Amino acid sequence: MTVMAEAQIELNEGCRLPVLLKNGDGWHWAEILGKKDIGGKPLYYVHYEDFNKRLDEWVPEERMDVSKAELPKKDNKTPKKDPLNKMTNGSRPTSPDRDFLECGASAAIVNANSPLSLVDESSLDEPPRSSVQIPLQNGAMSFSGLQKKSLIKKRKLDDDFQSDSQENVPKTPRQTGSMVAHHDDIVTRMKNIELIELGRWRIKPWYFSPYPQELTSAPLVFICEYCLKYLKSSKCLQRHLAKCQLCHPPGNEIYRKSNISFFEIDGRKNKAYAQHLCLLAKLFLDHKTLYYDTDPFLFYVMCESDSRGYHMVGFFSKEKESTEDYNVACILTLPPYQKKGFGKMLIEFSYQLSRVEGKTGSPEKPLSDLGLLSYRSYWSQTILEILLKMKPNEAGERPCITINEISEMTSIKKEDVISTLQHLNLINYYKGQYIITISREQIQTHNRAMERRTVRIDPKCLHWQPKDWSKRGKW
């Protein structure tokens, strides 16, 4: 690509050049996505290569090294807006869902009904590592670091599992859901809302959301924290609050413990609220876009309560009928409440609902980068919690459990159980059987994480009965 001198180049959409980062980490290559003039001074909207889009921002020319600017390739221009709203490929360098598929490869050959049993490391001649051992009996093919030849078999199993796994995951973006994977045109690649006020919080959005055009020019968008209606000024918000009759989300309160409550909202009965909720969520979810038919969906909103009312912490949505056994379509913890354990609490609540339904569930794919981290952490903690509580039986024999039993106890789909075990690198092959090896470091890390996890779902506080949504008359 030709590098042009500063005097010879005009900075336009698609140009690449180094931009000085605000956090002091120096220069980073970025692509210009947009341009505007403020008081006669140009500002450029840039996307940092290999960074998440939530870090995109407007920068002045002073933070750009124009001498190293590169013109866009003719065959690789910034995507233009498609008037037919067709699906096009995104620009993200990696897909969290692809990373998710790569785990669980070798573990897939394990029979889900094969018993797992705890093994004392002292009883093993050559334990793979200092650990608690849980053998998987009924192993016919070896894979571990115990023998060099087993590594070759592991790679072959990985390849075999990759082809099998692809059959279970859609190769194209989902076209159903309260939100679906969106096309990446020049409009949706740029944030259109600078700042929102939601209750006592002022939050800077991460991504584009299709709010009305007249709001995009406002420096601050006001949102009623009870009905989620959007307003253009504080006076409009004050007049609205004087008339708004809600002090909590519409729908039924199905869970309450201390100051934490969950409300179930039917997307058909409370359509306006559901659509406003999706608009708000889209500000913080990049891998989804709005799907305005909310009738087939239920929304579960978690709130903190005080003397003024119920304040939204986060939510998840789920299809009333899911052919793929998805128990979550979209999930979000609002930024002010992140890193406080509420994300895992939302996930735990979704699995508690699946447990009451007598089903196993899994989140809708693809997961966002933060969603993938949250789910992997929850799956790991939940599965390790069960394995570490296993005790020898009365005869002193090591305890046994199967993957299917873990799935039934946790309501986590068995494919997710297997992939989690593989992601944690727990599965080994020892003396003709599969064993799950939990290192002492993993046990210590797990114990520290569980000590920090102070907010948990209490099943006794859930008052909810599942409905048979196959009867359309109930919608």
Side-chain angles (χ1 to χ4, degrees):
M1 189 174 289
T2 305
V3 179
M4 304 187 70
E6 179 176 352
Q8 296 176 313
I9 192 169
E10 181 180 356
L11 297 179
N12 289 314
E13 297 172 7
C15 290
R16 295 176 64 253
L17 75 173
V19 177
L20 187 63
L21 298 174
K22 291 190 300 185
N23 60 5
D25 284 348
W27 299 85
H28 193 89
W29 280 90
E31 177 188 0
I32 296 176
L33 302 183
K35 180 181 178 180
K36 66 180 180 181
D37 288 330
I38 302 294
K41 187 176 181 180
L43 287 177
Y44 300 90
Y45 192 84
V46 298
H47 167 66
Y48 297 102
E49 295 181 358
D50 300 325
F51 284 7
N52 191 281
K53 284 173 60 177
R54 62 175 159 285
L55 300 176
D56 295 359
E57 60 177 340
W58 291 97
V59 299
E61 195 167 329
E62 290 77 16
R63 286 177 54 194
M64 308 168 79
D65 189 350
V66 183
S67 64
K68 297 182 180 179
E70 299 177 352
L71 289 173
K73 292 181 180 179
K74 292 183 179 180
D75 57 347
N76 191 29
K77 292 182 179 179
T78 301
K80 296 181 179 179
K81 188 175 180 181
D82 189 341
L84 298 180
N85 198 30
K86 294 181 180 178
M87 300 297 295
T88 57
N89 292 328
S91 64
R92 287 173 295 174
T94 60
S95 167
D97 192 44
R98 184 170 67 250
D99 297 339
F100 173 77
L101 284 176
E102 289 172 355
C103 66
S106 304
I109 64 167
V110 177
N111 189 330
N113 290 308
S114 301
L116 296 79
S117 53
L118 284 168
V119 180
D120 185 355
E121 60 174 316
S122 62
S123 65
L124 300 177
D125 298 330
E126 297 178 0
R129 56 182 185 261
S130 179
S131 57
V132 173
Q133 308 289 341
I134 307 176
L136 260 174
Q137 299 167 354
N138 188 33
M141 300 178 66
S142 66
F143 60 95
S144 73
L146 297 178
Q147 301 176 8
K148 292 182 179 179
K149 62 181 180 180
S150 65
L151 295 176
I152 300 175
K153 293 181 180 180
K154 181 182 186 300
R155 293 191 189 99
K156 182 179 185 303
L157 293 170
D158 287 343
D159 296 337
D160 293 342
F161 181 68
Q162 287 290 352
S163 59
D164 294 339
S165 298
Q166 298 291 348
E167 297 176 2
N168 299 324
V169 178
K171 295 182 174 61
T172 57
R174 282 178 55 83
Q175 298 299 310
T176 61
S178 55
M179 299 183 185
V180 296
H182 68 69
H183 58 290
D184 194 11
D185 62 30
I186 192 61
V187 175
T188 62
R189 290 184 75 184
M190 297 171 58
K191 302 172 192 174
N192 58 335
I193 304 294
E194 292 295 325
L195 197 65
I196 65 169
E197 182 174 296
L198 180 69
R200 63 192 180 97
W201 304 106
R202 285 194 174 181
I203 311 171
K204 192 171 183 179
W206 294 351
Y207 307 111
F208 170 90
S209 183
Y211 278 95
Q213 184 68 29
E214 58 268 21
L215 293 179
T216 60
S217 59
L220 179 62
V221 174
F222 297 84
I223 299 176
C224 174
E225 64 175 327
Y226 303 115
C227 70
L228 303 184
K229 183 178 180 180
Y230 45 84
L231 303 118
K232 61 183 179 180
S233 69
S234 59
K235 284 190 175 181
C236 292
L237 178 63
Q238 291 171 7
R239 289 197 297 265
H240 168 78
L241 290 175
K243 298 181 292 182
C244 185
Q245 298 180 350
L246 291 179
C247 62
H248 59 76
N252 300 322
E253 185 182 13
I254 61 174
Y255 178 93
R256 181 191 296 179
K257 183 174 183 181
S258 185
N259 67 331
I260 298 294
S261 294
F262 278 84
F263 292 84
E264 182 184 60
I265 294 97
D266 189 322
R268 182 183 67 84
K269 295 179 180 178
N270 299 281
K271 188 169 295 187
Y273 181 90
Q275 292 181 350
H276 289 157
L277 178 59
C278 290
L279 277 172
L280 174 63
K282 182 62 190 73
L283 291 171
F284 308 101
L285 294 173
D286 176 45
H287 66 299
K288 305 279 187 173
T289 194
L290 295 186
Y291 184 82
Y292 282 95
D293 181 14
T294 59
D295 289 14
F297 293 89
L298 296 169
F299 298 83
Y300 296 89
V301 180
M302 180 168 66
C303 297
E304 273 189 333
S305 61
D306 59 20
S307 59
R308 296 185 296 113
Y310 293 77
H311 312 286
M312 178 180 168
V313 172
F315 88 103
F316 68 88
S317 61
K318 64 181 292 187
E319 294 176 283
K320 294 174 181 176
E321 292 182 279
S322 175
T323 55
E324 298 91 348
D325 293 328
Y326 291 140
N327 62 357
V328 166
C330 292
I331 187 167
L332 170 71
T333 304
L334 291 175
Y337 298 95
Q338 292 179 0
K339 298 183 179 180
K340 297 181 179 180
F342 291 118
K344 283 193 180 69
M345 197 172 186
L346 282 167
I347 296 173
E348 186 177 8
F349 190 79
S350 70
Y351 280 108
Q352 184 60 40
L353 296 183
S354 296
R355 190 174 291 114
V356 175
E357 291 176 312
K359 299 178 181 178
T360 59
S362 184
E364 180 181 305
K365 312 300 188 302
L367 292 166
S368 67
D369 55 346
L370 297 180
L372 180 67
L373 290 173
S374 297
Y375 266 94
R376 276 183 173 166
S377 178
Y378 172 79
W379 290 334
S380 300
Q381 291 180 8
T382 303
I383 293 170
L384 286 173
E385 190 174 30
I386 288 176
L387 297 179
L388 296 177
K389 286 182 178 179
M390 295 172 63
K391 303 293 182 182
N393 59 20
E394 296 179 356
E397 298 176 351
R398 57 198 185 195
C400 294
I401 192 171
T402 67
I403 289 175
N404 274 343
E405 288 172 343
I406 295 176
S407 180
E408 291 172 2
M409 293 169 64
T410 60
S411 292
I412 300 173
K413 210 167 184 180
K414 65 181 181 180
E415 288 82 3
D416 295 333
V417 173
I418 294 173
S419 70
T420 301
L421 294 175
Q422 182 65 13
H423 173 70
L424 293 173
N425 196 27
L426 300 184
I427 297 182
N428 289 279
Y429 188 75
Y430 183 76
K431 290 190 175 181
Q433 61 183 357
Y434 292 104
I435 60 174
I436 294 178
T437 311
I438 309 174
S439 68
R440 290 195 177 94
E441 290 76 13
Q442 287 174 317
I443 295 174
Q444 292 171 358
T445 301
H446 169 76
N447 290 336
R448 287 194 297 267
M450 296 306 292
E451 288 175 0
R452 294 193 300 268
R453 193 171 159 188
T454 57
V455 287
R456 300 290 298 270
I457 294 296
D458 185 350
K460 298 177 182 177
C461 298
L462 175 64
H463 304 284
W464 178 77
Q465 292 293 330
K467 296 180 181 179
D468 182 8
W469 295 104
S470 61
K471 298 178 181 180
R472 300 284 175 169
K474 291 188 176 182
W475 279 30

